[in-house]
Amino acid sequence: MAFNRMWTNARQPLAGGIPLGAVLCTEEASRAIHAGMHGTTFGGGPLACAVAIAVIDYIEARESARPRTEVGDYFQDQLRGLAARHEAIIDVRGKGLMVAAELDSADLAKLHRR
């Protein structure tokens, strides 16, 4: 399995503006990581984690996931339509508005300005 399919870093505002980082990985990759092997500037300190939990609670209490799910499904459908016409798109996946299109070449992912 390619490393990019086993490990990713979350670089979004996870804690409402308080710096917090996260690493998401497959179970296979997690077996290779042990305490002390991975560090981060924006690790899971108690304040940042408490704020992140409060942010999630706030969002869940006040917002329905339905609009994000509908827009995300629409976006994925549109990307799958592109994938049917362009063999460079090898996979489309996601949940809600977290959507990814995997390309068969890293060079294709680069922004080209005209």
Side-chain angles (χ1 to χ4, degrees), residues 54-82:
V55 167
I56 292 168
D57 290 345
Y58 179 88
I59 291 169
E60 287 179 343
R62 288 165 181 78
E63 297 182 23
S64 165
R66 185 173 173 215
R68 290 183 298 278
T69 300
E70 289 174 359
V71 172
D73 289 347
Y74 172 79
F75 190 27
Q76 286 189 58
D77 288 344
Q78 296 302 305
L79 285 172
R80 286 188 183 100
L82 284 173

Side-chain angles (χ1 to χ4, degrees), residues 32-47:
I33 304 168
H34 304 287
M37 291 178 67
H38 178 265
T40 175
T41 303
F42 300 118
L47 172 66

